[in-house]
């Protein structure tokens, strides 16, 4: 596992993490969308990479991956190829790295929502799974939205709002996250 001092992590404020997507001519079945990169994610250039983030254990438990992946030190090229080959992609609503999502402005979330809409319209995933109900509500002006499958698609893709796997979201567990993620993965034909 990579180790960073707090001083090192602070240098990643405002950095971005590139999307991980299959090639343009390959199908995108399931697009996972985080709120924004945390500082650890920016440091490793890997989505959901913080060691306390439950994302990778949850997608393994859900059957979305067939092997455990430890992304805390960054993904290996083989891990990246594995996700691309499965038709799984990763992006964020907001590209700017912060220590906490609460540091984002509503304007940033709304602008990011518009950019996400464009990405989805261009890449045409079967399912989009946004990890974070509060960010979704703000980014897409859906103040009463609830977790789960949304009644309206996003640029033609089936839209799910799933729980945020961050360790800061303390009431979720790996089993509860896995159950939510498995529903979206089934809709995408992955499990």
């Amino acid at each position: 596992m990579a180790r960073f001092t707090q001083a090192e992590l602070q240098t990643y404020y405002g950095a971005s993490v590139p999307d991980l997507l299959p090639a343009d001519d390959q199908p995108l079945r399931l697009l996972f969308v985080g709120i924004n990169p945390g500082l650890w994610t920016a440091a490793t250039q890997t989505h959901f990479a913080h060691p306390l983030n439950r994302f990778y254990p949850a997608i393994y438990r859900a059957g979305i991956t067939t092997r455990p992946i430890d992304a805390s030190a960054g993904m290996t090229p083989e891990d990246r190829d594995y996700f691309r080959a499965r038709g799984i992609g990763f992006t964020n609503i907001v590209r700017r790295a912060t220590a906490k999502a609460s540091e984002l402005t509503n304007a940033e979330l709304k602008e990011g929502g518009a950019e996400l809409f464009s990405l989805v319209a261009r890449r045409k995933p079967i399912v989009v799974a946004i990890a974070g109900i509060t960010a979704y509500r703000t980014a897409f002006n859906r103040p009463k939205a609830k977790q789960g499958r949304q009644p309206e698609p996003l640029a033609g893709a089936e839209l799910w709002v799933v729980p945020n796997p961050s360790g800061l979201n303390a009431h979720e567990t790996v089993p509860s996250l896995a159950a939510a993620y498995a529903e979206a993965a089934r809709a995408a034909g992955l499990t």
Side-chain angles (χ1 to χ4, degrees), residues 38-59:
L39 300 180
W40 194 286
T41 287
T44 60
Q45 292 290 286
T46 300
H47 296 269
F48 302 109
H50 193 281
L52 298 179
N53 192 303
R54 285 104 18 114
F55 181 78
Y56 294 100
I59 64 172

Side-chain angles (χ1 to χ4, degrees), residues 104-175:
L104 301 174
T105 67
N106 288 353
E108 283 179 292
L109 288 165
K110 289 178 182 189
E111 182 180 322
E115 290 175 13
L116 177 61
F117 185 92
S118 296
L119 172 67
V120 171
R122 187 174 71 254
R123 290 304 311 266
K124 302 185 181 343
I126 296 169
V127 172
V128 173
I130 298 176
I133 187 67
T134 303
Y136 170 73
R137 287 173 178 158
T138 301
F140 293 94
N141 197 29
R142 300 280 189 262
K144 296 183 189 231
K146 296 187 180 352
Q147 283 186 172
R149 184 175 183 207
Q150 300 304 297
E152 297 174 12
L154 179 65
E158 189 171 311
L159 177 60
W160 288 74
V161 178
V162 297
N164 189 311
S166 166
L168 298 175
N169 189 6
H171 66 275
E172 293 292 344
T173 64
V174 169

Side-chain angles (χ1 to χ4, degrees), residues 54-80:
R54 285 104 18 114
F55 181 78
Y56 294 100
I59 64 172
Y60 177 62
R61 184 173 182 138
I64 297 168
T65 59
T66 56
R67 60 185 172 86
I69 293 176
D70 179 0
S72 63
M75 274 191 205
T76 66
E78 293 80 16
D79 290 339
R80 292 178 192 282

